[in-house]
């Protein structure tokens, strides 16, 4: 694997090379100078490429040096302190981002923060102390505001957010995402629906939003100014809007595009569309070179290029009809972005072709309507709210279409067929019976090759980071959770039950791990000594030789517990009692012990309440594994557990656990219940109602088998079930592709959900 500096140098060099490859041969300077001069510059093609690559190499090297000084490369997991400048106020999940001003060891960069109940104002300069974990996430425990928000942008964004919340109520999260780029209050379920419908670009500030506002401004300004001046004034206003947003790459690209278009209109020039796009891309990379490796920027440029390319497919007569232009633009954008979404997220949404035909015109009314409602008040807000409701309905209908969302494992493997399809369609549609000479195709081929360097560098980096995978195994009435770290080490939390009916450790856990190629466990955690969690541990100890065993350290006199101790002694396995505050870091995965404390064990004798409770963290992902704790242990953990994306429900969903207060503290997006046939009434109906009432998706091992949770620290995928025959495999694949297995409690044995974006981690847009 190439060192980071080399990969980044290739990435940035290739990115700037790509911009100039399209830029000068298409005579970008047609916007500003006579065509004769632009033609001369365009013929200096080879020299321009060398200069562009040299500039890109320099930018990449400097960026690599900055990356090496980032706190994620300098800090070790554990307690850290820094002076920060906050970007936005924290949302209901207590997450936001901040720039590092001063920190130990001189590190710099941007951190993602989990603030809990702390709510400092946006733009404030603060001193934050907390627990740092790999992936650039700081869980803040103490915070002190040093300086109030500075500049006009932060107070204005907060004032706009307050106004929008007052006008739009429960839809405020959707409105804030579409207008000012605040996604903290956006419900995860709504985000998932829009992503499955191919409408995720509506929820992230993109060129579409800037273009919509600019278009409406032009219509208004043409009543008082000439068309050329109207475009110039609209472009200037778009830069003010982009500044309010904080200059995100897609919006900056759109503002640059509009500026060039306005300059061309004012000078009565007609530069090629691709030339205008190229200079906008070039401007974005000069402002922020890291945009060349940002998926959101890739999607933005690809969608605009695909829209323009598809428009050229239409005969001249049909280009005058808005419906035909919109249909071509939707199809072109979907085809152009499909390889990128397949590579980055493992999902492609063909439903977007149809959904955008309706949703984009509606957004063209909703976005300016929301802006107007800021001044006009509730009357206009009511009309805009109706349009927003229609957009939600369109997204829901499109997400439910058969084959509307195709999912797979993210990476080059899933991207290759979509790339081939896109290339074939664009190539065939673009020929239209006219042969293209090889000379005219060389710039496009060179640009494609340079982007391939970027993709390979990103893939290389992605493979190095890897993903965290948690397998909640179907062991019946018991627990067994196998965790694979990004570099292939394995942690096992509990080993399933053992009874007269069988040994889940020998029959399920060990065979599963052997199929994964596991020869030795990094860690075995036994949450407590009851047979439904400890039962399979002796078999695991004898065959997988853990490097370390953690357990509560509560001695039990049962025959099973004594056999477990004998297996520990026979293998010479290192053992220690897990206590709150203990932390393991395995391949950038932080496994923190939340419970029990030594003092707690002195007072409690019930094994269930003494269970080892773990928080597993990787990037922006958190999972809480609870063993069999009930209300007493949950009560003492309310202040320390923190919000998490996934909750392993305690004690198989018994009525004495998973209290309302506990769910409010954890606020899980998904809950997994490891349960089998039992006479205890697990899971209790009251627990299921509490989860449903909070919009938490529930996965049960008794209704679909093992549950697999996979995350790269930015996105989360949950899959349930495993095919056992060829026919089941075909049936499940069809159901997965068509998304008919949408119920989280499906009995089909083949349930899958598309990736879920984690809080404050990633923004993708077109």
């Amino acid at each position: 694997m190439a060192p980071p500096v080399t990969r980044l140098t290739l990435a940035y060099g290739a990115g700037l090379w790509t911009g100039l490859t399209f830029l000068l041969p298409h005579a970008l300077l047609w916007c500003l100078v006579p065509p004769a001069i632009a033609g001369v510059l365009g013929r200096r093609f080879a020299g321009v490429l060398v200069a562009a690559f040299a500039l890109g190499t320099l930018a990449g090297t400097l960026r690599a040096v900055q990356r090496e000084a980032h706190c994620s490369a300098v800090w070790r997991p554990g307690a850290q302190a820094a002076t920060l400048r906050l970007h936005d106020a924290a949302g209901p999940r207590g997450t936001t981002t901040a720039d590092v001003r001063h920190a130990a060891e001189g590190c710099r960069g941007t951190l993602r923060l989990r603030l809990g109940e702390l709510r400092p104002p946006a733009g404030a300069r603060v001193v934050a102390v907390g627990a740092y974990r790999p992936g650039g996430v700081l869980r803040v425990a103490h915070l002190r505001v040093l300086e109030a928000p500075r500049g006009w942008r932060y107070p204005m964004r907060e004032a706009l957010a307050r106004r929008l919340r007052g006008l739009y109520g429960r839809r405020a999260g959707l409105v804030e995402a579409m207008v000012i780029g605040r996604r903290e209050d956006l419900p995860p379920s709504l985000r998932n629906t829009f992503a499955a419908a191919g409408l995720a670009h509506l929820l992230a500030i993109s060129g579409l939003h800037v273009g919509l506002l600019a278009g409406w401004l032009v219509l208004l300004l043409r009543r008082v100014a000439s068309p050329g001046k109207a475009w110039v004034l609209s472009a200037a206003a778009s830069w003010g809007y982009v500044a309010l947003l904080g200059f995100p790459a897609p919006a900056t690209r759109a503002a640059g595009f509009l500026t060039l278009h306005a300059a061309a209109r004012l000078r009565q020039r007609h530069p090629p569309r691709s030339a205008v796009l190229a200079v906008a891309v070039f401007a974005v990379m000069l402002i922020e070179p890291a945009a060349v490796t940002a998926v959101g920027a890739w999607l933005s440029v690809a969608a605009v290029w695909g829209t323009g390319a598809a428009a050229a497919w239409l005969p001249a007569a049909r280009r005058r009809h808005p419906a035909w232009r919109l249909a071509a633009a939707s199809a072109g954008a979907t085809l152009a972005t499909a390889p990128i979404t397949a590579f980055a997220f493992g999902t492609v949404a063909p439903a977007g072709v149809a959904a955008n035909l309706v949703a984009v015109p509606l957004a063209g009314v909703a976005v300016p309507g929301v802006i107007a409602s800021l001044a006009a008040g509730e009357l206009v807000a009511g009309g805009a709210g109706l349009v927003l409701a229609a957009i939600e309905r369109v997204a829901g209908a499109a997400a439910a279409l058969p084959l509307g969302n195709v999912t797979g494992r993210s990476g080059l493997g899933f991207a290759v067929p979509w790339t081939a399809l896109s290339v074939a369609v664009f190539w065939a549609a673009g020929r239209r019976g006219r042969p293209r000479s090889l000379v005219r195709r060389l710039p496009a081929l060179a640009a494609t090759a340079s982007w391939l360097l970027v993709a390979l560098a990103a893939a290389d980096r992605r493979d190095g980071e890897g993903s965290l995978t948690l397998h909640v195994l179907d062991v019946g009435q018991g627990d067994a959770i196998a965790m694979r770290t990004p570099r292939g080490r394995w942690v096992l939390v509990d080993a399933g039950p053992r009874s007269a009916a069988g040994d889940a450790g020998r029959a399920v856990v060990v065979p599963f791990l052997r199929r994964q190629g596991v020869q030795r466990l990094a860690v075995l955690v036994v949450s407590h000594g009851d047979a439904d969690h400890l039962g399979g541990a002796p078999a695991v100890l004898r065959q997988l030789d853990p490097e370390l065993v953690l357990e509560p350290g509560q001695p039990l006199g049962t025959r099973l517990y004594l056999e477990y101790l004998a297996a520990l002694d026979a293998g010479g396995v290192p053992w220690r009692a897990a206590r709150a505050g203990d932390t393991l870091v395995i391949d950038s995965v932080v496994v923190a012990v939340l419970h029990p404390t030594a003092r707690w064990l002195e007072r409690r004798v019930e094994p269930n309440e003494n269970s080892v409770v773990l928080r597993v963290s990787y990037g922006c992902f958190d999972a809480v594994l609870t063993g069999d704790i009930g209300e007493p242990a949950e009560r003492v953990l309310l202040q320390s557990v923190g919000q998490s994306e996934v909750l392993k429900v305690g004690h198989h969903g018994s009525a004495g656990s998973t209290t309302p207060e506990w769910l409010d503290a954890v606020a899980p997006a998904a809950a997994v219940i490891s349960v089998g046939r039992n006479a205890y009434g697990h899971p209790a109906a009251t627990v299921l109602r509490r989860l449903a009432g909070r919009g938490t998706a529930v996965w049960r091992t008794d209704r679909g088998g093992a549950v697999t949770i996979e995350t790269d620290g930015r996105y989360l995928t949950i899959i349930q079930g495993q095919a056992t025959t060829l026919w089941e495999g075909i049936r499940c694949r069809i159901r997965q592709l068509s998304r008919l297995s949408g119920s989280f409690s499906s009995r089909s044995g083949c349930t899958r959900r598309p990736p879920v974006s984690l809080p404050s981690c990633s923004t993708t847009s077109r």
Side-chain angles (χ1 to χ4, degrees), residues 218-225 230:
V218 168
L219 290 177
L220 296 174
L221 291 171
R222 287 185 65 173
R223 297 180 177 273
V224 296

Side-chain angles (χ1 to χ4, degrees), residues 292-444:
V292 75
T293 57
V295 176
W298 295 2
L299 290 172
S300 177
V301 174
V304 173
W305 176 83
T307 299
W313 299 347
L314 296 174
R318 290 183 176 176
R319 292 179 194 174
R320 292 192 292 268
H321 296 284
W324 281 103
R325 291 201 307 269
L326 182 60
S330 181
T334 300
L335 275 172
T337 57
I340 300 174
T341 59
F343 170 76
F345 313 127
T347 181
V348 177
V353 176
N356 279 285
L357 294 177
V358 182
V360 170
L362 290 174
V365 176
V367 172
V370 169
I371 298 296
S373 71
L374 292 172
E378 296 182 357
L379 182 61
V380 176
L386 291 176
V387 180
L388 291 169
I391 294 175
E392 290 185 34
R393 291 291 184 90
V394 170
L401 288 175
L403 295 177
N405 186 274
V406 182
T407 58
R409 184 176 293 275
S410 59
L412 288 176
F414 189 49
V416 165
W418 293 102
T419 303
L421 174 64
S422 299
V423 169
V425 172
F426 279 111
W427 186 273
R431 291 178 65 88
R432 297 200 308 178
R434 298 193 302 269
R436 304 282 184 89
S437 67
L438 181 61
V439 174
R440 291 187 62 188
R441 293 174 185 167
L442 280 177

Side-chain angles (χ1 to χ4, degrees), residues 69-91:
H70 194 280
C71 291
S72 62
V74 175
W75 278 355
R76 293 184 177 182
Q80 297 289 353
T83 302
L84 310 170
R85 174 74 69 179
L86 301 183
H87 292 169
D88 275 315

